[in-house]
Amino acid sequence: MDNLNGSIYFWFIELLSYWQGQVNSSDVSKFFGISNTQAKKHISSYKLLCPNNLQYCNRQKSQIAQVDFKLHFINGDASEYLNWLNNHTLKSSNVYSAITHAELTLPPRNISPIIMRSLVNAIKQSRRLDVEYISLSNSVSEGRIIQPHTFVKTGLRWHLRGYCEARSEYRDFVLSRFSGEPFLMDAATQTIEGDLAWNTLVTLCFRPDPRLTEVQKRVIERDYQMKDGELKVTTKAALAQYLIQEMQVRTDSLAKTPQQQQLVLVNEDDLKPWLFS
């Protein structure tokens, strides 16, 4: 894989150092399948191009991101890092064929690298984290002690799943609503194994909107490859609400027209314990 354009190595070095706070030759060699010597050369080349971004730390045996870090190869959107973390695949070359020249670009969320580094470390090290968080119910930033276990992509955005000590329950946290400088605390006491909604599987059953004509229903059934007029999707209970939203299914009331709704959830009562109130 060493015949790759040098910029892909620089992209990776910058991605990890910016969002995780550090990078070392072992990270580069493992990801690209190259020798440690080659990895060190790529890091050295990156540091020549971006001399103020990284500084080697003997104690941590890693290149540490500096305060005046400037972006040259990544876009600064946390989704870029989280998507890599989720897929562990190489960055797209952004070269499209004649039939795939289309891409949905979403506005980036305001997520500080200082916040992200703390969240990543808390998950990796299974630690409690003291952090400021702003919720919709309380527009004022307040201190929270959380015990995060997983980054979750729910359709078009990412959030954090973890235990909230203030609420004494596992909750979802919007990444862009964290603020301040988080403080890593002692070992977590609430782990992913204790997250009932995360470890419980539920099946959602969808049917074509009953207001559609029979012909229209057949079209919807074909679109979703339904069997006996039903689409059944199994997911984690913690993700059921997000799945319903991504399927554009309303549970509070029907859309004005069946063409807008297309699908209805027929087993909502079974899922109510897992849906947002």
Side-chain angles (χ1 to χ4, degrees), residues 229-246:
E230 290 186 343
L231 170 66
K232 293 185 178 181
V233 183
T234 299
T235 188
K236 293 178 179 295
L239 302 179
Q241 182 78 55
Y242 300 110
L243 177 60
I244 293 170
Q245 292 172 351
E246 286 302 306

Side-chain angles (χ1 to χ4, degrees), residues 77-89:
D77 185 349
S79 292
E80 183 180 24
Y81 167 70
L82 291 168
N83 286 331
W84 169 81
L85 200 64
N86 189 46
N87 298 315
H88 277 79
T89 56

Side-chain angles (χ1 to χ4, degrees), residues 26 43 71 94 97 121 145 165 167 187 193 206 230 272:
S26 178
I43 292 177
L71 304 183
N94 291 325
S97 72
N121 285 329
I145 296 179
E165 295 190 15
R167 301 288 184 88
E193 287 77 19
F206 300 99
E230 290 186 343
K272 279 185 177 179

Side-chain angles (χ1 to χ4, degrees), residues 95-102:
V95 177
Y96 302 94
S97 72
I99 61 173
T100 62
H101 194 80

Side-chain angles (χ1 to χ4, degrees), residues 109-124:
R109 297 267 177 157
N110 180 28
I111 304 172
S112 162
I114 295 175
I115 298 289
M116 183 62 72
R117 293 167 193 171
S118 297
L119 296 176
V120 169
N121 285 329
I123 293 174
K124 284 185 173 182

Side-chain angles (χ1 to χ4, degrees), residues 67 112-116 118-119 129-133 141 144 178-184:
V67 175
S112 162
I114 295 175
I115 298 289
M116 183 62 72
S118 297
L119 296 176
L129 186 71
D130 189 345
V131 63
E132 297 288 319
Y133 188 75
S141 180
R144 297 279 187 96
F178 289 109
S179 63
E181 294 191 20
F183 175 73
L184 277 175

Side-chain angles (χ1 to χ4, degrees), residues 132-267:
E132 297 288 319
Y133 188 75
I134 303 174
S135 64
L136 285 180
S137 58
N138 183 1
S139 58
V140 179
S141 180
E142 58 181 3
R144 297 279 187 96
I145 296 179
I146 64 173
Q147 302 184 35
H149 65 66
T150 309
F151 289 112
V152 184
K153 189 173 186 179
T154 55
L156 298 179
R157 80 173 185 185
W158 286 87
H159 70 253
L160 179 73
R161 182 77 179 175
Y163 186 81
C164 176
E165 295 190 15
R167 301 288 184 88
S168 299
E169 63 182 4
Y170 289 90
R171 298 178 64 88
D172 300 330
F173 299 92
V174 179
L175 294 179
S176 57
R177 294 180 190 159
F178 289 109
S179 63
E181 294 191 20
F183 175 73
L184 277 175
M185 302 175 66
D186 53 354
T189 57
Q190 304 292 334
T191 65
I192 191 172
E193 287 77 19
D195 191 343
L196 181 61
W198 186 258
N199 293 297
T200 299
L201 294 179
V202 295
T203 299
L204 291 74
C205 183
F206 300 99
R207 291 177 188 163
D209 191 309
R211 296 173 294 171
L212 293 169
T213 67
E214 290 304 312
V215 172
Q216 291 171 326
K217 289 179 183 177
R218 300 295 87 77
V219 172
I220 299 300
E221 290 174 8
R222 181 177 178 181
D223 282 348
Y224 291 97
Q225 303 181 60
M226 293 184 178
K227 293 183 179 180
D228 299 322
E230 290 186 343
L231 170 66
K232 293 185 178 181
V233 183
T234 299
T235 188
K236 293 178 179 295
L239 302 179
Q241 182 78 55
Y242 300 110
L243 177 60
I244 293 170
Q245 292 172 351
E246 286 302 306
M247 298 293 287
Q248 300 183 32
V249 172
R250 298 180 59 170
T251 55
D252 54 346
S253 62
L254 291 176
K256 290 183 178 180
T257 67
Q259 287 77 13
Q260 291 175 296
Q261 180 94 6
Q262 295 192 7
L263 298 173
V264 294
L265 179 66
V266 298
N267 64 334

